[in-house]
């Protein structure tokens, strides 16, 4: 227990005032010789005992009254609500001692005294039992403790207040906390950025910890405070001390705390289960439970947010085309957000491609919390990996979000292999020829073996089904189309299955000659799943004279590439008619399929599913001119391009990653032709060598980058080629970090109650946390109430004493059987002899006085 106004304890000496008053009222007694008092000795002794008890009770009430008032002025505090048991134990023990004293002086009978003694014993035993309850005793100041420090390292911590960033202020206050810790304490640190940089070993060298704090820097991006606190709990469980604390240093940004409370509620820490913790830190033991450890106290030092913030953030950048190629115009859309506290005007937004400024667009005005989109048109002239960036020219208080990077792959061509199953008819009547003409018309005019020399994206090679064993490698193509192929040799079908599993696209267009036993029995060698999304049941012919036409059911179309085409209305698919098609059925093992389009009779028209990293597309109609009029539609070339690019898109690699502790970048083997170690350049300009590159398998390459938490552009370079950038990739920022709304004190208190967190708004309380006197409960209000109750008790005691004395004064005396003084005189007159009278006076003089008469 501690006192906020300890100087007031001097006034506790005023307790002697009631004692002095009571002693002063005791006067010296005068002995009065009164012979009749010897007969009242017994009643006088009982009366004296009662008066002594009355004086003691009155003196005790007055002393307690003074003590309670003095203690209230001293403002005592205790360290936690659980330590109130010590106060209750003290009150019960004091009551037991009073009851024990009363049983000792009481003379109302044996049973009354025994009952009082039993009550006193019960009160004292209960007080002793309360002191033994609980995991810990009463906390002591300067007791060694295990402390976990969590520092918010998000982008908002870069905001400056009074010329100092909140992150630097947090590290300085954390050093103050470490310097104030008692000897024998241990410290673990958690830097809470997009990923958690933590130390799982508690350090006893406090000076080393303080030096490490001064070297910390902001990670940038968002923050995961919930995971950091859970890591701290795990680290504190291994600490040697009984007192444990988690101290979080963060700013007053509302979004992270609200997301933590919304995602978890009162049991917020349960979201960090074994799997989620171990994914972040494999060194953390999987012993996390859903139960909270009440012995670990959580404090949060909330640093103030600036009252005025000027910040416009680029929160997104997207390219409208799924497959990018050279010399094809695309639309780039950048999204802006005014996250500041004032309206802004006359913004300039730049479009950069590979760090070269190409276009500049203006934004006239942007209100608070308003979003807007800025559109650019661009045509790529460089194949391979390109970095597209949107950057604000004007600077603001948070420059981290003034630029947004996006890495895209621009293809020089898209190689497609068409396998022709109709080799008995003329070339320009084959369905495969119509498909080749719609995809790559120039390929029909070039000699065999000569590649596509134009700027067109899709490059088509055609081979007859009988000649397909001559194709040495299917990996040279991104999409393979089986057009009216009856069946394939077993080795070719296995190779095609492997091609799909490794990321290739397969389009099956069955004709009348297709053998359904082959296709229905075609399965993946590794997984055993059927290669086709649905099985072929039977051919369905339709009478061309029927009035009801069989065509496309537009309401059934759910496809990422077809829906935009149908929404524009710029097509002639309303005239599409089908005369013959395959009826398709689902597999018995409920293999998942995706029916993306149906005919007007409800039969599937277009279905697809994924196998490994690839995708298989199946149409229920062929491209024969006698089975449908699809090849004569103007929309046919557009439709085939969309479907082929959709199949090739699954083989694309996304180099825009979320923050990760151990990032693994997937590339194509052709992107890194060298096996030499690579150099990695991070967004802050630091460089490190990437020594470990996983082996090349299936044309894929995995690079272990390591920790990639800071949002921005990363660049992999080859030192043997003059440090030129080979492959760029980005780490994205959490969009919640763009919301700089500050939390009010009432909102923080509400969140703190739900999350069991005590907020610290003043830096002066840091030392109290370190010394173990931070979480306190003041008792002055309870003491004032106790003093008022004591006044009532004293008044009641005075009333009781007055009533008791009046009652004792009105009791009638029983006549004494012995002679009274006037009767003794009559006996003397009757000849009682003077000698007897003298002996009586001598006997009275020899006796001790039986009563004290007070003036």
């Amino acid at each position: 227990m501690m006192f906020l106004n300890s100087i007031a304890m001097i006034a506790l000496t005023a307790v002697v005032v009631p004692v002095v008053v009571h002693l002063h009222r005791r006067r010296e007694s005068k002995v009065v010789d009164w012979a009749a008092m010897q007969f009242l000795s017994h009643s006088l002794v009982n009366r004296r005992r009662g008066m002594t008890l009355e004086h003691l009770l009155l003196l005790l009430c007055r002393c307690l009254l003074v003590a309670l008032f003095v203690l209230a002025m001293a403002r005592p505090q205790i360290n936690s609500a659980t330590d109130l048991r010590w106060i209750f134990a003290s009150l019960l023990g004091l009551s037991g001692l009073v009851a024990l004293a009363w049983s000792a002086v009481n003379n109302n009978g044996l049973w009354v005294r025994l009952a009082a003694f039993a009550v006193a014993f019960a009160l004292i035993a209960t007080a002793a039992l309360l002191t033994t309850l609980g995991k810990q005793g009463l906390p002591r100041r300067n007791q060694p403790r295990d402390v976990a420090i969590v520092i918010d390292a998000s982008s908002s911590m870069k905001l400056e207040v009074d010329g100092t960033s909140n992150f630097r202020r947090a590290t300085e206050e954390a050093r103050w906390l470490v310097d104030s810790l008692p000897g024998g304490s241990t410290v673990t640190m958690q830097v809470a950025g997009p990923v958690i940089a933590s130390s799982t070993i508690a350090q006893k060298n406090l000076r080393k910890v303080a030096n490490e704090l001064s070297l910390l820097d902001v990670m940038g991006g968002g923050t995961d405070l919930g995971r950091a606190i859970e890591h701290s709990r795990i680290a504190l469980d291994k600490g040697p001390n009984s007192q444990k604390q988690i101290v979080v240093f963060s700013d007053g940004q509302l979004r992270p705390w609200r997301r933590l409370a919304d995602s978890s509620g009162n049991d917020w820490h349960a979201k960090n289960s074994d799997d989620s913790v171990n994914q972040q830190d494999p060194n953390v033991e999987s012993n996390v439970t859903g139960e909270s450890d009440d012995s670990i106290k959580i404090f949060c030092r909330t640093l103030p947010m600036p009252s005025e913030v000027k910040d416009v953030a680029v929160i997104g950048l997207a390219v409208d085309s799924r497959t990018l190629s050279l010399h094809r115009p695309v639309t780039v859309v950048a999204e802006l957000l005014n996250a500041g506290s004032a309206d802004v005007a006359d913004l300039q937004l730049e479009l950069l491609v590979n760090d070269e400024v190409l276009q500049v667009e203006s934004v006239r005005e942007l209100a608070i919390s308003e979003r807007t989109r800025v559109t650019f048109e661009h045509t790529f002239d460089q194949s391979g990996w390109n970095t597209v960036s949107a950057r604000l020219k004007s600077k603001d208080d948070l420059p981290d979000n003034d630029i947004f990077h996006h890495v895209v792959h621009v293809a020089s061509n898209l190689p497609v292999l068409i396998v022709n199953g109709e080799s008995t008819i003329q070339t320009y009547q084959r369905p495969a020829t119509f498909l080749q003409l719609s995809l790559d018309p120039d390929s029909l005019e070039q000699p065999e073996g000569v590649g596509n020399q134009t700027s067109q994206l899709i490059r088509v090679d055609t081979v007859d089904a009988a000649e397909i064993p001559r194709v040495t490698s299917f990996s040279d193509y991104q999409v393979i189309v089986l057009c009216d192929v009856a069946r394939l040799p077993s080795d070719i079908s296995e190779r095609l299955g492997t091609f799909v599993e490794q990321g290739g696209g397969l389009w099956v267009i069955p004709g009348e000659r297709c053998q359904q036993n082959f296709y229905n029995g075609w399965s993946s060698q590794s997984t055993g799943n059927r290669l086709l999304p649905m099985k072929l049941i039977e051919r369905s012919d339709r009478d061309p004279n029927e009035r009801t036409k069989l065509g496309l059911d537009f309401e059934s179309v759910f496809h990422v590439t077809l829906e935009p085409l149908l929404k524009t209305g710029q097509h002639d698919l309303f005239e599409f008619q089908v005369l013959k098609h395959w009826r398709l059925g689902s597999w018995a093992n409920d293999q998942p399929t995706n029916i993306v389009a149906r005919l007007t009779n409800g039969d599937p028209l277009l279905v697809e599913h994924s196998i490994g990293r690839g995708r298989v597309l199946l149409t229920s109609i062929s491209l024969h001119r006698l089975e449908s009029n699809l090849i004569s539609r103007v929309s046919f070339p557009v439709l085939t391009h969309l479907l082929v690019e959709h199949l090739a898109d699954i083989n694309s690699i996304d180099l825009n990653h979320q923050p990760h502790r151990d990032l693994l970048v997937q590339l194509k083997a052709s992107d890194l032709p060298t096996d030499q170690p690579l150099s990695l350049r991070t967004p802050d300009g630091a460089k490190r060598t990437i020594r470990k590159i996983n082996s090349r398998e299936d044309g894929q390459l995995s690079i272990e980058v390591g920790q990639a938490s800071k949002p921005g552009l990363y660049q992999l370079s080859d030192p043997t080629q003059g440090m030129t950038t080979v492959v760029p990739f980005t780490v994205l920022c959490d969009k919640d970090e763009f919301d700089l709304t500050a939390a009010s004190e009432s909102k923080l208190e509400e969140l703190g109650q739900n999350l069991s967190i005590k907020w610290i708004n003043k830096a002066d309380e840091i030392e109290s946390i370190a010394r173990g006197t931070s979480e306190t409960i003041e008792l002055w209000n309870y003491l004032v109430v106790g003093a008022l109750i004591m006044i009532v008790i004293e008044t009641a005691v005075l009333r009781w004493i007055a009533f008791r004395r009046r009652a004792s004064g009105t009791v009638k005396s029983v006549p004494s059987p012995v002679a009274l003084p006037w009767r003794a005189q009559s006996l003397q007159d009757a000849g009682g002899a003077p000698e007897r009278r003298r002996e009586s006076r001598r006997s009275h003089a020899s006796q001790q006085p039986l009563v004290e008469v007070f003036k």
Side-chain angles (χ1 to χ4, degrees):
M1 182 180 294
M2 64 174 294
F3 298 91
L4 295 181
N5 188 20
S6 57
I7 193 67
M9 292 296 292
I10 299 177
L12 197 60
T13 56
V15 175
V16 302
V17 174
V19 178
V20 171
V21 171
H22 277 256
L23 293 178
H24 178 70
R25 293 186 61 185
R26 295 187 61 183
R27 307 294 181 87
E28 294 184 357
S29 59
K30 181 174 69 173
V31 178
V32 178
D33 291 337
W34 187 19
M37 291 303 297
Q38 61 179 323
F39 305 107
L40 303 177
S41 60
H42 181 71
S43 62
L44 291 175
V45 170
N46 291 337
R47 178 62 177 164
R48 167 176 272 185
R49 289 180 179 176
M51 294 178 63
T52 302
L53 178 61
E54 293 170 358
H55 283 285
L56 286 176
L57 289 176
L58 191 59
L59 179 61
L60 178 62
C61 291
R62 291 173 176 174
C63 291
L64 286 176
L65 178 60
V66 175
L68 288 173
F69 271 120
V70 172
L71 291 174
M73 290 188 296
R75 296 181 64 185
Q77 292 181 334
I78 57 175
N79 290 76
S80 67
T82 57
D83 297 325
L84 284 173
R85 66 179 187 274
W86 287 88
I87 298 178
F88 293 137
S90 301
L91 294 177
L92 290 176
L94 181 60
S95 302
L97 292 176
V98 173
L100 186 62
W102 185 80
S103 65
V105 299
N106 184 37
N107 195 24
N108 292 332
L110 178 61
W111 290 108
V112 176
R113 297 177 64 183
L114 289 177
F117 180 78
V119 171
F121 178 78
L123 291 174
I124 295 174
T126 303
L129 181 62
L130 281 176
T131 59
T132 59
L133 294 178
K135 298 179 181 180
Q136 302 173 355
L138 191 65
R140 299 190 304 272
R141 185 175 175 84
N142 297 331
Q143 184 178 3
R145 61 197 67 247
D146 299 326
V147 179
I149 298 176
V150 178
I151 298 181
D152 184 357
S154 60
S155 296
S156 63
M157 293 290 285
K158 285 188 174 182
L159 292 174
E160 294 186 357
V161 178
D162 297 333
T164 304
S165 68
N166 274 336
F167 185 82
R168 190 51 51 200
R169 185 176 286 106
T171 55
E172 292 175 357
E173 293 185 5
R175 290 189 62 184
W176 185 17
L177 171 67
V178 172
D179 293 339
S180 303
L181 287 174
S185 300
T186 64
V187 177
T188 59
M189 285 193 302
Q190 314 283 335
V191 181
V195 298
I196 309 303
S198 61
S199 59
T200 57
I201 301 176
Q203 299 189 36
K204 293 185 178 181
N205 190 342
L206 302 183
R207 179 170 296 180
K208 180 181 178 181
V209 175
N211 294 334
E212 292 177 355
L213 285 169
S214 61
L215 300 177
L216 294 179
D217 196 5
V218 178
M219 287 188 184
T223 182
D224 194 346
L225 294 177
R227 193 181 300 276
I229 293 175
E230 187 60 31
H231 279 221
S232 300
R233 289 182 182 275
I234 298 173
L236 290 179
D237 287 340
K238 304 176 183 178
N241 298 309
S242 59
Q243 300 295 324
K244 302 178 185 296
Q245 295 173 339
I246 298 176
V247 185
V248 182
F249 293 88
S250 180
D251 55 17
Q253 189 181 10
L254 176 61
R255 193 73 181 205
W257 294 109
R258 177 183 289 172
R259 182 176 59 178
L260 179 60
D262 293 343
S263 62
S264 55
N266 294 333
D267 197 17
W268 60 271
H269 61 277
K271 76 182 184 74
N272 295 306
S273 59
D274 299 350
D275 296 337
S276 63
V277 173
N278 292 332
Q279 286 175 2
Q280 282 288 331
D281 191 352
N283 297 322
V284 176
E285 297 180 1
S286 58
N287 59 353
V288 185
T289 62
E291 297 181 358
S292 175
D293 188 358
D294 294 335
S295 63
I296 300 179
K297 306 301 181 182
I298 304 178
F299 306 91
C300 180
R301 167 70 171 111
T302 51
L303 302 170
M305 296 282 288
S307 57
E308 295 183 1
V309 179
K310 180 183 179 182
D311 179 56
V312 178
V314 187
I315 63 176
L317 186 66
V319 182
D320 67 346
S321 178
R322 297 175 61 87
T323 303
L324 303 179
S325 63
L326 296 173
H327 313 297
R328 176 189 288 186
V330 296
T331 301
V332 181
V333 180
E335 187 175 3
L336 302 181
L337 168 67
N338 183 4
S341 57
D343 298 344
V344 293
D346 299 329
L347 295 174
Q348 299 290 323
L349 184 65
E350 301 174 332
L351 176 68
L352 297 85
V353 177
N354 300 324
D355 295 333
E356 181 182 355
V357 179
L358 300 180
Q359 300 179 43
V360 180
E361 294 289 340
S362 300
V363 178
R364 292 186 177 182
E365 187 176 1
L366 200 60
I368 301 174
S369 302
E370 182 183 358
R371 298 170 183 252
T372 188
R373 293 184 177 184
V374 180
T375 303
F376 301 92
E377 297 292 334
H378 178 67
T379 301
F380 291 96
D381 57 3
Q382 177 181 337
S383 63
W385 296 106
N386 287 256
T387 303
V388 183
S389 308
R391 182 177 64 188
L392 287 169
K393 294 185 66 174
S394 57
K395 301 299 181 181
D396 50 32
D397 295 336
L398 199 59
D400 280 5
N401 53 27
D402 290 347
I403 188 169
F404 195 101
H405 303 283
H406 187 73
V407 175
V408 297
H409 187 269
V410 179
S412 57
N413 54 61
L414 196 162
V416 178
L417 176 64
I418 299 178
V419 182
N420 173 39
E422 279 283 358
S423 59
T424 58
I425 60 178
Q426 295 181 1
T427 302
Y428 284 96
Q429 294 181 357
R430 299 172 183 175
T433 304
F434 293 116
L435 182 61
Q436 181 181 3
L437 184 63
S438 65
L439 292 175
D440 185 10
D442 295 337
S443 63
L444 293 173
E445 302 175 359
Q446 295 173 355
E448 185 177 354
V450 179
N452 185 1
Q453 303 298 325
T454 66
S455 59
Q456 186 169 329
L457 171 63
I458 298 178
R459 175 178 60 83
V460 175
D461 290 337
T462 306
V463 63
D464 291 338
E467 302 295 331
I468 193 172
R470 296 173 123 188
V471 180
T472 58
S473 175
F474 290 144
S475 61
D476 295 336
Y477 302 95
Q478 289 185 249
V479 179
I480 296 177
V481 184
L482 301 181
C483 189
D484 287 348
V485 177
R487 62 175 299 120
L488 294 171
S490 59
D491 60 330
I492 299 299
S493 62
E494 292 179 4
R495 288 173 56 192
L496 275 177
T498 303
F499 165 77
V500 174
E501 290 177 347
Q502 294 177 358
L506 177 63
W507 186 3
V508 179
I509 306 176
E512 187 175 5
R513 300 175 62 251
C514 292
Q515 299 180 14
Q516 63 184 100
N517 291 336
F518 165 74
Y519 284 99
N520 292 341
W522 194 4
S523 61
S524 171
Q525 295 295 319
S526 60
T527 63
N529 294 331
R530 305 290 183 178
L531 203 69
L532 295 188
M534 299 185 77
K535 62 182 178 180
L536 304 178
I537 298 179
E538 62 181 3
R539 292 279 291 178
S540 176
D541 297 340
R542 188 175 183 84
D543 187 355
N545 297 324
E546 289 186 12
R547 294 183 178 181
T548 304
K549 305 299 183 182
L550 185 62
L552 174 63
D553 182 7
F554 291 92
E555 295 182 357
S556 67
V557 177
F558 296 97
H559 198 266
V560 67
T561 59
L562 299 183
E563 284 182 351
L565 172 64
L566 299 181
K567 287 181 179 179
T568 59
Q570 300 177 358
H571 60 83
D572 58 350
L573 294 178
F574 294 99
E575 303 173 1
F576 167 57
Q577 295 183 18
V578 177
L579 298 177
K580 296 181 180 180
H581 70 282
W582 278 95
R583 293 184 59 235
L584 306 179
S586 301
W587 297 109
N589 59 354
D590 296 331
Q591 183 173 327
T593 59
N594 183 20
I595 301 177
V596 298
R598 293 180 182 269
L599 297 173
T600 52
N601 65 351
D603 289 345
L605 172 63
L606 187 65
V607 293
E608 69 175 18
H609 74 161
S610 297
I611 296 290
R613 298 197 306 269
R615 182 182 289 131
V616 178
L617 185 67
L618 173 65
T619 56
S620 61
I621 63 171
S622 70
L623 301 182
H624 200 284
R625 59 186 178 87
L626 298 179
E627 297 185 6
S628 71
N629 65 349
L630 181 61
I631 58 175
S632 62
R633 300 302 92 203
V634 177
S635 303
F636 176 65
V638 179
L639 187 65
T640 56
H641 275 78
L642 292 175
L643 293 178
V644 168
E645 292 180 11
H646 171 67
L647 288 172
D649 180 66
I650 196 170
N651 197 28
S652 64
I653 296 175
D654 188 8
L655 291 184
N656 302 286
H657 300 278
Q658 296 295 329
H660 204 280
R661 180 182 295 275
D662 297 306
L663 181 62
L664 193 66
V665 177
Q666 300 286 342
L667 296 172
K668 294 181 180 179
S670 57
D671 292 330
L672 291 176
T674 177
D675 291 333
Q676 299 296 324
L678 300 175
S679 176
L680 176 67
R681 182 177 181 179
T682 61
D684 53 6
K687 294 181 180 181
R688 67 173 186 262
T689 302
I690 306 300
R691 300 185 179 277
K692 186 174 182 180
I693 301 179
N694 291 352
S695 61
R696 302 165 187 260
E697 295 180 358
D698 306 331
Q700 300 289 325
L701 186 64
S702 298
I703 301 178
E704 295 183 354
V705 175
Q707 179 169 319
S709 58
K710 188 177 183 64
L713 180 65
Y714 293 73
Q715 295 175 332
L716 287 169
S717 303
D718 186 1
T720 62
Q721 299 181 4
M723 298 300 292
T724 57
T725 300
V726 178
V727 176
F729 65 92
T730 65
V731 172
L732 304 177
C733 180
D734 184 3
K735 288 190 176 182
D736 287 345
E737 190 62 21
F738 298 129
D739 186 356
L740 300 178
T741 303
S744 61
E745 293 185 4
S746 59
K747 187 62 178 179
L748 287 177
E749 287 297 330
E750 177 185 348
L751 294 174
Q753 293 177 2
N754 295 333
L755 301 175
S756 300
I757 294 177
K758 179 178 176 59
W759 305 104
I760 300 173
N761 299 321
K762 297 180 180 179
D764 298 339
E765 302 178 32
I766 298 296
E767 184 177 1
S768 299
I769 297 176
R771 296 298 179 180
T773 58
S774 56
E775 189 179 4
T776 57
I777 299 176
E778 291 196 31
L779 303 178
W780 66 269
N781 47 351
Y782 301 102
L783 294 173
V784 170
V785 173
L788 297 177
I789 295 175
M790 192 56 60
I791 292 175
V792 175
I793 294 175
E794 182 191 11
T795 304
V797 169
L798 287 174
R799 294 284 186 179
W800 173 72
I801 292 175
F803 175 78
R804 190 167 179 267
R805 292 187 177 181
R806 285 198 304 269
S808 62
T810 57
V811 175
K812 295 183 179 180
S813 302
V814 179
S816 176
V818 298
L820 294 176
W822 57 84
R823 295 187 63 182
Q825 180 65 33
S826 62
L827 291 175
Q828 177 181 0
D829 296 341
E835 290 296 328
R836 186 181 302 172
R837 194 166 53 248
R838 283 194 296 269
E839 290 178 1
S840 177
R841 286 198 297 267
R842 283 196 299 267
S843 63
H844 283 300
S846 63
Q847 292 179 354
Q848 294 295 328
L850 299 179
V851 65
E852 294 177 351
V853 180
F854 297 95
K855 295 181 180 180

